[in-house]
Each structure stands twice: as C-alpha cells, then as structure tokens.
Amino acid sequence: MKMACGNFVSWTLFLLSVIQYVSANRLPYTLGVRDSIMIAHSFHGNPAFGPAGGMHGATYTCDVEFSSAELVKDANWVIDIGKASDILSTVLSKYNLKNLDEVFPNGELTTTEFMAKKIHEGIAKRVKEECKFEGEICVKLWESHKAWASYEGSV
C-alpha cells in the first residue's frame, strides 16, 4: 500500500509539472478562424487503411489559431481577422473540390495529419509575406465531430 501511494504522489507531481510547463509556454493571445473543404483521395490501396484505402470523399472543417505574445501596436489585435480568413480561404482553395491523389501525384498518403501540415505551410508562408505575423499557428483539421488532426509551429 505504501508503494502504491508513493507512485501516486510521484505521478501527480509529474502531471502538475507538465501542466505548469504547458501553461508557462502558451502564448497569451489567440485569434481563430474557420473554413471547410471537400476533397477526394485514396490511400493507394494501402491495407493499413482498410476500406478507406480506395477512393473516397471527405469534408473537412479547418480551424486555424494564430497565437502571439503581444498584440499588434496601433491595432490591438493578434492578426487582422479578415486577412486571416482570406489567407485560409486562399490556401484551402488549392485543395477544395480536388482529388488529392492528383494534387500530390507522387503516391503521398494524404492523411489528415499530412494535410494539416500542408495547410500550415501554406498559411505560414502567406502570413510572413502579407502580415508580418510573429507567433505560432495551429491548424486543426476535423474529419468529423469526433476526430481531428493538427499541426502547429512557429512563424
């Protein structure tokens, strides 16, 4: 019994340190925008994907969060919400109503995780060029109300 209690205390202290680390390293300001796309793709018959290995369609909801340490001076915002929405729409237009097997013709497995990263890369490039945004971007791509994948990184 004494050993189990010691393990519980150690585990609790570990979890508290993780929570403190995450809280201390999150940026305090966030703005989010949302859009959606409809795509077709396959996993090229890969048996790991079962029936989804063949051609099928998906409708993704895409949430993007822009986080920064400070607000932009003179505007008091993280990023212009209209500009952020326009950038997301433009980046998604590369994939919307397309067959991803044709967009990525080298046999890439266009998983939700893969697509979250590709969308992130497109958004990061545009905000660097057009907005001088500095901070972090998180792209969350929802397959359904129950499942999603995300990719985040600094800009």
Side-chain angles (χ1 to χ4, degrees):
M1 186 68 166
K2 198 174 208 182
M3 180 67 134
C5 185
N7 287 341
F8 175 77
V9 171
S10 296
W11 182 244
T12 302
L13 291 174
F14 169 74
L15 286 177
L16 287 173
S17 67
V18 169
I19 291 168
Q20 287 173 341
Y21 174 80
V22 170
S23 296
N25 291 294
R26 285 192 55 123
L27 297 173
Y29 297 102
T30 301
L31 175 93
V33 293
R34 173 179 280 182
D35 205 337
S36 62
I37 56 174
M38 293 184 285
I39 57 95
H41 70 151
S42 73
F43 294 115
H44 311 288
N46 185 317
F49 293 93
M55 184 63 65
H56 62 280
T59 300
Y60 291 123
T61 299
C62 184
D63 290 334
V64 180
E65 292 184 348
F66 299 87
S67 300
S68 64
E70 297 181 16
L71 298 176
V72 174
K73 291 181 177 148
D74 300 327
N76 231 18
W77 62 31
V78 172
I79 188 172
D80 178 333
I81 194 169
K83 190 67 173 170
S85 293
D86 289 346
I87 288 171
L88 175 57
S89 178
T90 300
V91 169
L92 291 181
S93 71
K94 179 178 180 180
Y95 312 113
N96 193 32
L97 302 174
K98 306 271 177 31
N99 178 347
L100 298 181
D101 293 357
E102 295 170 3
V103 176
F104 300 98
N106 298 320
E108 293 92 335
L109 296 176
T110 53
T111 61
T112 307
E113 297 88 340
F114 173 87
M115 290 306 300
K117 182 177 182 189
K118 290 298 182 185
I119 293 166
H120 181 281
E121 290 170 351
I123 292 170
K125 181 178 187 291
R126 297 282 307 269
V127 298
K128 281 183 201 175
E129 295 169 356
E130 299 175 31
C131 302
K132 310 288 190 254
F133 173 80
E134 292 182 23
E136 295 187 4
I137 298 173
C138 178
V139 173
K140 187 178 285 188
L141 201 54
W142 295 84
E143 292 190 44
S144 72
H145 67 284
K146 293 182 175 185
W148 68 92
S150 65
Y151 183 85
E152 61 185 283
S154 297
V155 178

